């Protein structure tokens, strides 16, 4: 979800809060040396050509977390930056089935863990997320849970 001006126009992206029946949330961790260390993030990524935002979300969740979901709920779409028309589409996925991760070579360092929602929210408030989509998606998903 960084500026891809040297590679063409920025593409839309999807980010997913995958919450299991016990309220645990799929959280990924990886080292990002260019940003100064290890960060946490939610499954998600850029849309491929011809994909809808929800197709992107389903693919990214399956690849990065090894998870499929029966229930999907849109949490909204937001501009990624002021200088681009690209949007970030946020989703809540429930009714989960877990399988093996299907990581690409650039994702091989991604470690999947399951966190209680309050711990994930705390990580967001502590600045442990690298990208803005994860914290926003968590806060919106938490609102759905308490509504």
């Amino acid at each position: 979800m960084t500026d891809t001006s040297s590679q063409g126009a920025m593409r839309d992206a999807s980010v997913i809060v995958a919450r299991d029946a016990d309220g645990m949330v799929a959280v990924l961790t990886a080292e990002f040396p260019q940003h100064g260390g290890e960060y946490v993030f939610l499954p998600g990524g850029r849309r491929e050509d011809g994909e809808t935002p929800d197709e992107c979300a389903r693919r990214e969740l399956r690849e990065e977390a090894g998870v499929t979901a029966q229930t999907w709920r849109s949490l909204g779409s937001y501009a990624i930056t002021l200088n681009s028309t690209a949007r970030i589409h946020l989703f809540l996925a429930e009714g989960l089935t877990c399988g093996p991760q299907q990581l690409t070579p650039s994702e091989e360092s991604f470690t999947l863990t399951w966190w209680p929602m309050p711990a994930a929210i705390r990580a967001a408030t502590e600045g442990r997320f690298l990208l803005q989509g994860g914290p926003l998606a968590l806060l919106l998903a938490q609102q759905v849970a308490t509504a």
Side-chain angles (χ1 to χ4, degrees):
M1 287 182 236
T2 58
D3 186 351
T4 59
S5 56
S6 63
Q7 301 170 13
M10 186 181 280
R11 292 174 289 162
D12 282 14
S14 294
V15 172
I16 307 96
V17 176
R19 185 172 55 204
D20 72 10
D22 296 322
M24 302 293 278
V25 177
V27 175
L28 297 161
T29 58
E31 288 286 331
F32 292 92
Q34 69 274 30
H35 294 286
E38 183 178 80
Y39 285 90
V40 298
F41 51 101
L42 297 180
R46 292 192 188 111
R47 195 167 50 104
E48 293 180 354
D49 290 339
E51 264 185 334
T52 64
D54 38 329
E55 288 169 340
C56 173
R58 291 170 192 273
R59 177 183 51 77
E60 290 288 351
L61 183 60
R62 185 181 62 256
E63 290 175 358
E64 292 184 355
V67 172
T68 57
Q70 290 180 334
T71 306
W72 288 85
R73 180 177 181 153
S74 173
L75 299 173
S77 297
Y78 303 87
I80 293 177
T81 72
L82 294 175
N83 298 324
S84 171
T85 59
R87 310 224 14 115
I88 186 165
H89 306 275
L90 308 177
F91 295 91
L92 173 60
E94 296 178 301
L96 308 181
T97 301
C98 297
Q101 289 174 282
Q102 302 169 19
L103 302 174
T104 66
S106 66
E107 300 167 337
E108 287 177 349
S109 66
F110 289 10
T111 302
L112 173 66
T113 55
W114 292 87
W115 295 18
M117 180 69 84
I121 297 286
R122 190 170 41 259
T125 63
E126 293 170 350
R128 295 174 53 200
F129 275 79
L130 181 59
L131 301 169
Q132 75 280 12
L136 179 57
L138 286 168
L139 292 171
L140 293 169
Q142 183 181 42
Q143 292 301 310
V144 169
T146 59

